[in-house]
Amino acid sequence: MTYRILKIDPYLKAHKDDIARRMDGYLKKREELLGDGDLVSFANSHLYFGIHKTTDGWVYREWAPAAEAMFFTGDFNGWDITACPMAALENGVFEVTLPADALQVGQKVQAVVHHGGEVLRRVPTHATRVVQDPVTYLWCAEVDDVLWDGFQWSDADFRPAKTPLIYECHVGMAQEAYEVGRYRDFTARILPRIKKLGYNTIQIMAVMEHPYYGSFGYQVSNFFAPSSRYGTGRELKELVNTAHKMGITVLLDVVHSHAVGNTAEGLAAFDGTQYQFFHEGARGEHPAWGTKLFNYGKNEVLHFLLSNLKYWMEIFHFDGFRFDGVTSMLYHDHGLGSAFTNYGMYFSPNTDLEAITYLQLANELIHTLNPRAVTVAEDMSGMPGMCLPIKDGGIGFDFRLSMGVPDLWIKWLKEREDEAWDMGTLWYELTSRRPKEKTVGYCESHDQALVGDKTIMFRLCDAEMYTAMNKESQSTVIDRGMALHKMIRLVTSTLAGEGYLNFMGNEFGHPEWIDFPREGNGWSYHYCRRQWSLADNDLLRYGQLEAFDRAMIALLKRERLLTKPAKLLWTHNDHNLMVYQKGGVIFAFNFHPTRSEDKLWIPLNAPETYRAILTTDDAAFGGFGRVDTAYRYTPECHEGDNGFYLYLPARTAVVLKKV
C-alpha cells in the first residue's frame, strides 16, 4: 500500500519501507488489542482497577503480576498490613470487596505487596487522589469520589478552538503570594485575565501528581490523580467548566514519555519488579532525566496509558493534550545530541516503533472521543508525518511545537549584535516546516524562563528592569527591550505556525526567572510566582507590554491570520528590513537599531489604499508614537509597480490593512 505521506513529501520515498513498518506495527497492535472491539471500549482500566463504590459496598482491584500476595490497608483497619488480604484472580489481578460502611471518602489507604520475601507499601496505581502525610512525608492514596461526585457540567455545547492561541500556565505558581496556588484561585483570578488577554486556549502544566514540586510536573508518580497541592479534583472540574463557559479550550500537559523512579510514590517496582510497566535494564532508564521509561510494547502498559487519556477527557473534560517529551519516546537514543541533519536519522534502527504505535493509538482514541480535540507534540526532531492523519501514514497529532524558534531568538540575543540579524535567515526559520503539517509557534515558553536561563525581556534588559521600568525613567536599554519584545512577538506569532503559545506572565515581560522552592534557595517561593501587580501598576511599563500583547492577539483572531499563507514581499539585510503579506494585511518590520526609513516602498499587486491598524511604536504600548494610524496610504506607481511609500522608524513594526 502507498501512503499519502510519500506524495506529500517525496523525499520520504527512499524510506517507504520504514513508513510501511510504522503502519504495519500500528495495524497489527490494533488488531491484537481490539479484535472485533473498539478502542474507546478498550481504554477503561480506570473503571475496573482502583477503588470503586458498588451497589452494596466497595471493591479494590490491582494488577500486580509478580506479587506473591497483596493486602489492603489504611485508616479503615488501623493500618494493619495483614488484616485485609486480597484475592488473587487471573492474569496477575488482585481484588478485595468491602462492605458499604468499611470505607469513607477522605480515608487514607495503601496497597501492600509481598514479593521475594519483602513487604512493599505502595500507592494504588489508579488512585484518583494522592496526598503526602504532613508528619511522616509518606505518600498514600485517599478514597475519592471524583468518578461519581455528581458534578454538574454546563459545557455540553462547548467546541475547542480550531486555531489555538495558547496560554501556557502552572496553577501552583499562578499566584503572587509566597505559596502554592490553588485551583479555586486560578479559576477566580487568573482565568478572567486570560479571557481579557484574548487567548482561546490554556495548556495546564503539572496537573498529574508528582512528588517533587521542582520537577515542574514532569516526573509523574500518580497518573490518575490531579495534584492535591492545588486542591481537589472537584475544584479542577470547576476550573475546566468555568474556562469552557468563557470559551477557553483546556489542554492537559500530559507526561507519558517517562515516570518518576520513586518506588514509594509511583509505578516503579510496584509489584516488586522493574519490568511491570517499564523496560528492564538500561533501556528502562532515561540517561539524562533519571526517570523510568515505559515499555510501549506491553499490552497492559498500553491499556494503562490509553485509559489514562480517556480518564482525563471524560472525567475532567479536557479538550486535548500537549504530549511532553515526544522526541525522547521516538528514538532509542532519545534524540540526545542528535541534530537530525538527514532523513535517515528518523528511521530504523534508531526508531522506537512501539512508541510510535502508542502515539498513533493515543491520537486515534483522543479524536474518536472528541473529533474536535487538540493534540500537540513536543518534538524537536521534526519527525516526518508527526502531524499527518494516521490513514496517510502519519502519527496523528494536530500540531507540533516549533521548538527551534525560541532557540533561534535566544541564540541571536546572546551572540549577535542587533545589526547582524539576518532577515533571510529569520524568514526561513519562521516559515519552514514540513508540508501539510501544522505547528504552534512561540518565541519563549516555560523552558526559557527557568533558573539558569532568562526570558526574552530579562535577557534584553537584565538589571535595568529593577531600576528603569518606571514610566518616568529614561533608559535606552529599556527602550530597546520594550521595542524588540513587541517585535519578536509579532513576527513570531504571525509567521511561526498555525497556532501560537505564550507562557503566563511573559506577555508583560515578567522579570526574573522561575526557581521552585528547594534546599539551594532556602525553600523560597520568591521566584515561583507571578507578579501580576507589575502589569496592573499604571506607573510601570509592564502594562504597556501587556496592552500590546492583547492588541496583537485580537489582530490574530480578527484577521484570522494564522489560517492564511504568508507571502514575502522583500527583505533588506543591510537595513534589517522585512515586509510580508498575509491575506489583505501587510507587515513591515524595521529591526535596525538606529536607521529609520523615510520612504520605504511597499509593493502591491493592485492599486489599493491602506492604513496602519497596529504599530509597535504606539505610545499606549510604550513606544514613541511616530506612526500616524489615521493616515491613508494611497497607491502610487513606481517603475511600473503599484504600491505606496511608508515611514518606518527604527525598531518598529507596522501592520497595514486595505481600507
Side-chain angles (χ1 to χ4, degrees):
M1 179 176 180
T2 300
Y3 291 99
R4 184 167 172 264
I5 188 175
L6 301 178
K7 296 180 180 179
I8 293 173
D9 187 351
Y11 288 106
L12 287 171
K13 289 181 179 178
H15 301 279
K16 65 180 187 300
D17 291 342
D18 291 293
I19 299 298
R21 277 191 288 271
R22 171 194 291 182
M23 296 307 298
D24 287 347
Y26 159 73
L27 294 171
K28 288 177 181 177
K29 179 58 71 173
R30 196 180 187 283
E31 173 67 22
E32 180 183 334
L33 293 175
L34 308 179
D36 295 329
D38 64 277
L39 201 53
V40 171
S41 300
F42 170 78
N44 278 332
S45 76
H46 57 293
L47 300 180
Y48 181 76
F49 294 111
I51 303 165
H52 296 279
K53 183 181 281 188
T54 65
T55 55
D56 55 356
W58 299 84
V59 62
Y60 168 50
R61 299 188 190 92
E62 198 66 75
W63 174 65
E68 293 144 13
M70 280 197 70
F71 296 82
F72 193 38
T73 189
D75 292 338
F76 71 96
N77 68 358
W79 293 97
D80 187 329
I81 63 173
T82 61
C84 187
M86 299 178 69
L89 308 181
E90 295 180 348
N91 303 316
V93 176
F94 289 82
E95 176 186 272
V96 63
T97 58
L98 299 169
D101 61 354
L103 292 178
Q104 295 180 0
V105 172
Q107 285 185 321
K108 295 178 176 60
V109 296
Q110 280 187 334
V112 179
V113 177
H114 287 222
H115 173 80
E118 292 186 284
V119 177
L120 309 171
R121 302 282 288 268
R122 296 289 188 255
V123 176
T125 59
H126 286 71
T128 56
R129 180 168 174 81
V130 177
V131 297
Q132 186 177 29
D133 186 278
V135 178
T136 65
Y137 296 104
L138 294 176
W139 292 79
C140 57
E142 210 170 67
V143 179
D144 189 34
D145 62 349
V146 71
L147 287 165
W148 67 86
D149 63 2
F151 182 83
Q152 296 299 306
W153 293 93
S154 60
D155 61 353
D157 296 330
F158 178 77
R159 299 293 181 267
K162 289 185 178 180
T163 302
L165 300 169
I166 302 172
Y167 198 81
E168 185 185 28
C169 48
H170 183 289
V171 170
M173 58 177 293
Q175 81 305 319
E176 192 153 356
Y178 292 83
E179 61 188 19
V180 177
R182 311 281 288 181
Y183 297 123
R184 288 177 300 181
D185 295 335
F186 189 93
T187 303
R189 301 176 186 174
I190 310 306
L191 279 179
R193 295 190 74 102
I194 298 170
K195 175 65 175 178
K196 184 178 179 181
L197 286 168
Y199 290 86
N200 61 20
T201 303
I202 57 174
Q203 176 182 301
I204 313 181
M205 310 169 62
V207 169
M208 303 164 80
E209 190 61 86
H210 48 291
Y212 179 47
Y213 191 41
S215 75
F216 230 140
Y218 290 122
Q219 294 191 8
V220 174
S221 53
N222 314 102
F223 286 76
F224 290 86
S227 180
S228 60
R229 289 183 178 89
Y230 317 134
T232 67
R234 189 180 183 90
E235 290 166 346
L236 176 59
K237 290 181 179 181
E238 184 61 43
L239 188 163
V240 176
N241 196 50
T242 303
H244 286 167
K245 289 179 184 177
M246 294 179 175
I248 298 174
T249 301
V250 187
L251 305 182
L252 176 67
D253 199 341
V254 71
V255 187
H256 282 181
S257 48
H258 61 136
V260 72
N262 304 28
T263 56
E265 296 97 334
L267 299 177
F270 179 86
D271 69 350
T273 68
Q274 292 296 334
Y275 55 79
Q276 182 183 3
F277 287 95
F278 310 108
H279 287 291
E280 287 189 88
R283 192 179 176 190
E285 306 285 338
H286 196 290
W289 300 340
T291 48
K292 303 297 294 183
L293 299 176
F294 286 105
N295 182 350
Y296 303 107
K298 203 168 186 177
N299 291 352
E300 293 86 354
V301 173
L302 295 178
H303 191 214
F304 179 87
L305 294 176
L306 291 170
S307 300
N308 189 233
L309 297 173
K310 182 179 178 181
Y311 167 81
W312 290 109
M313 292 183 73
E314 292 203 333
I315 303 303
F316 291 96
H317 287 207
F318 279 94
D319 303 301
F321 304 92
R322 179 264 202 187
F323 278 71
D324 177 70
V326 169
T327 305
S328 175
M329 300 170 68
L330 295 175
Y331 308 101
H332 293 302
D333 65 1
H334 312 296
L336 297 174
S338 178
F340 295 96
T341 53
N342 64 77
Y343 270 46
M345 301 177 76
Y346 295 114
F347 301 109
S348 58
N350 191 31
T351 312
D352 190 332
L353 289 174
E354 293 173 344
I356 290 179
T357 293
Y358 164 65
L359 292 173
Q360 290 173 306
L361 291 169
N363 276 292
E364 179 189 351
L365 171 67
I366 293 164
H367 292 104
T368 302
L369 287 167
N370 182 356
R372 295 181 173 86
V374 178
T375 58
V376 182
E378 189 209 27
D379 170 37
M380 52 74 62
S381 75
M383 166 64 80
M386 180 65 69
C387 302
L388 290 178
I390 299 169
K391 63 181 177 61
D392 293 339
I395 299 176
F397 282 94
D398 297 297
F399 298 87
R400 65 153 41 93
L401 292 174
S402 60
M403 300 184 70
V405 173
D407 292 342
L408 172 77
W409 286 123
I410 296 302
K411 181 178 178 63
W412 279 17
L413 290 171
K414 287 172 62 174
E415 300 176 4
R416 293 193 181 192
E417 298 295 329
D418 295 358
E419 297 90 333
W421 289 14
D422 185 281
M423 296 296 101
T425 298
L426 182 60
W427 172 264
Y428 175 81
E429 293 292 341
L430 293 181
T431 60
S432 295
R433 36 193 173 268
R434 296 208 174 277
K436 305 295 184 181
E437 300 196 42
K438 294 188 291 187
T439 67
V440 172
Y442 63 107
C443 42
E444 55 183 342
S445 68
H446 69 271
D447 290 327
Q448 289 75 37
L450 290 170
V451 65
D453 205 340
K454 295 179 180 180
T455 63
I456 285 177
M457 190 61 180
F458 202 40
R459 191 171 293 282
L460 285 165
C461 301
D462 223 327
E464 293 265 339
M465 295 191 75
Y466 297 113
T467 60
M469 282 297 282
N470 189 293
K471 290 180 180 177
E472 301 302 317
S473 299
Q474 300 295 319
S475 168
T476 56
V477 172
I478 296 297
D479 289 343
R480 170 181 177 263
M482 294 278 292
L484 291 179
H485 189 271
K486 292 175 287 186
M487 295 180 72
I488 288 171
R489 272 166 162 65
L490 182 60
V491 73
T492 301
S493 67
T494 53
L495 289 181
E498 291 74 24
Y500 177 67
L501 178 143
N502 167 67
F503 179 69
M504 65 176 187
N506 284 353
E507 72 277 1
F508 65 82
H510 196 288
E512 302 173 328
W513 47 74
I514 299 166
D515 191 10
F516 282 82
R518 55 187 174 86
E519 187 174 3
N521 63 19
W523 303 103
S524 170
Y525 284 89
H526 180 78
Y527 297 109
C528 196
R529 59 199 181 102
R530 296 286 89 178
Q531 299 179 59
W532 307 108
S533 59
L534 295 176
D536 297 338
N537 190 334
D538 288 338
L539 299 177
L540 302 178
R541 301 188 185 192
Y542 296 99
Q544 296 172 327
L545 293 178
E546 184 180 72
F548 174 78
D549 197 82
R550 188 164 57 246
M552 181 186 78
I553 295 297
L555 173 72
L556 296 177
K557 293 164 71 174
R558 184 175 66 249
E559 303 297 334
R560 301 181 66 184
L561 291 171
L562 301 190
T563 66
K564 297 176 179 177
K567 176 184 178 182
L568 181 64
L569 298 182
W570 63 279
T571 61
H572 194 306
N573 276 338
D574 291 341
H575 296 171
N576 300 105
L577 298 169
M578 181 164 63
V579 182
Y580 56 91
Q581 186 171 5
K582 300 193 87 174
V585 181
I586 291 175
F587 298 83
F589 285 81
N590 182 356
F591 281 100
H592 200 282
T594 59
R595 178 189 171 94
S596 294
E597 296 292 330
D598 292 329
K599 295 184 68 176
L600 179 65
W601 178 250
I602 306 296
L604 301 173
N605 292 325
E608 297 160 326
T609 299
Y610 280 75
R611 69 178 182 86
I613 57 173
L614 182 67
T615 168
T616 59
D617 197 51
D618 195 306
F621 308 144
F624 297 101
R626 294 169 292 180
V627 177
D628 184 358
T629 54
Y631 184 77
R632 297 297 192 263
Y633 297 89
T634 57
E636 302 181 37
C637 187
H638 174 72
E639 296 182 357
D641 292 329
N642 293 305
F644 59 84
Y645 289 102
L646 173 70
Y647 169 57
L648 188 60
R651 285 199 182 120
T652 296
V654 177
V655 183
L656 305 115
K657 185 183 178 182
K658 296 177 187 177
V659 175

